[in-house]
Amino acid sequence: MRVKATGLAMLTASALLTTACGSSGGSSDDKASAPAPNGSSASAAASSALQRAALAQGDVPGYQVSADTTAQGRARPRADRGPCQPLADIMGDQPNPQARETVNRGLGSQRKLGLAVAASLSGYARPDAEKLVRDLRAAVAACSGFKAELGGTSSTYARVKARPYRIGGDESVSWSASSTQVNVETPVHIVVVRQGATIVRFMTINLGAPVQGRAQELVEVPRDVADKQLEKVRRVLG
């Protein structure tokens, strides 16, 4: 059964839309191993490493994995308030404009209908990766809610709150929120991990668990997905 993601078009512009349809069946082995866009030989080598480190079909049992095929940097959401821009950026095709390369994956649960995860890897200069995590922590503390616009479509993010989440890596930041678009409100959980100069980004929604009134049913980045992705990053990228 195909799940529509009309309520969260902002989340990883293309990856999450693919993610939400991940349980619709079919193989994605070829798509998940597709090469990155053409570039310099150095860029291609880095991109190949990120591609190898990204999740592929079969890495995490119970999930359909799809690859992002859109051009990088095409979609950058804009926040209505400056301090919240890092949170809006994280919803786009790449965590922020300083990313040298980003590889996106979408995972749709085949066991829990509506559960979708967007997982991405981005290569940075190490100081830029460290600054990204600092900026996100500051933005979570400063922005309990904000609006973001992408391609003429507006989404409202409310109840933004730091949330404990034990995970590996050099450092991490985790927060939850609710997203409203076209009068549909959906809980979101986002975890960003720095491993050296690599930023690993996870975003999870459950389209089968909308907010009821003021009581938000929390979703969480699945541990099996997060653990497998970080293990693969350490093994491939060092």
Side-chain angles (χ1 to χ4, degrees):
M1 179 178 180
R2 186 174 294 272
V3 181
K4 295 182 180 179
T6 53
L8 279 178
M10 287 287 182
L11 282 176
T12 53
S14 59
L16 194 69
L17 291 175
T18 303
T19 297
C21 298
S23 59
S24 60
S27 172
S28 62
D29 294 287
D30 293 336
K31 291 189 291 182
S33 60
N38 292 332
S40 67
S41 58
S43 172
S47 176
S48 296
L50 287 179
Q51 289 282 355
R52 292 195 304 271
L55 292 172
Q57 186 62 28
D59 281 345
V60 189
Y63 291 88
Q64 181 75 25
V65 179
S66 299
D68 173 41
T69 57
T70 62
Q72 298 299 320
R74 285 178 54 186
R76 186 187 182 191
R78 295 290 180 174
D80 61 344
R81 295 194 291 136
C84 305
Q85 185 60 44
L87 301 182
D89 277 336
I90 213 74
M91 304 295 185
D93 285 342
Q94 53 190 8
N96 68 12
Q98 283 68 52
R100 294 174 170 176
E101 193 75 40
T102 295
V103 174
N104 288 311
R105 293 290 184 259
L107 293 90
S109 176
Q110 297 172 319
R111 298 168 180 167
K112 190 171 184 179
L113 187 62
L115 179 65
V117 186
S120 76
L121 305 179
S122 297
Y124 282 83
R126 182 160 179 154
D128 289 336
E130 294 171 345
K131 184 177 184 299
L132 172 60
V133 175
R134 291 196 304 270
D135 289 349
L136 287 172
R137 286 181 180 144
V140 170
C143 300
S144 60
F146 65 99
K147 291 183 179 180
E149 184 174 330
L150 175 65
T153 300
S154 179
S155 288
T156 299
Y157 296 92
R159 306 186 188 100
V160 178
K161 185 178 180 180
R163 181 170 163 187
Y165 188 83
R166 184 172 296 178
I167 193 169
D170 294 327
E171 58 180 335
S172 65
V173 56
S174 164
W175 69 97
S176 59
S178 63
S179 171
T180 300
Q181 188 182 45
V182 197
N183 297 319
V184 177
E185 192 172 1
T186 310
V188 188
H189 182 215
I190 302 172
V191 179
V192 175
V193 184
R194 182 181 67 82
Q195 178 72 39
T198 301
I199 290 292
V200 186
R201 174 184 55 171
F202 302 100
M203 288 178 277
T204 296
I205 62 172
N206 188 347
L207 297 176
V211 175
Q212 301 294 334
R214 298 291 296 181
Q216 179 177 346
E217 181 178 339
L218 293 178
V219 296
E220 183 172 89
V221 171
R223 297 283 176 176
D224 50 354
V225 173
D227 290 346
K228 181 60 180 180
Q229 180 60 94
L230 286 177
E231 181 274 327
K232 206 169 181 184
V233 165
R234 288 189 292 266
R235 174 164 48 85
V236 176
L237 301 178

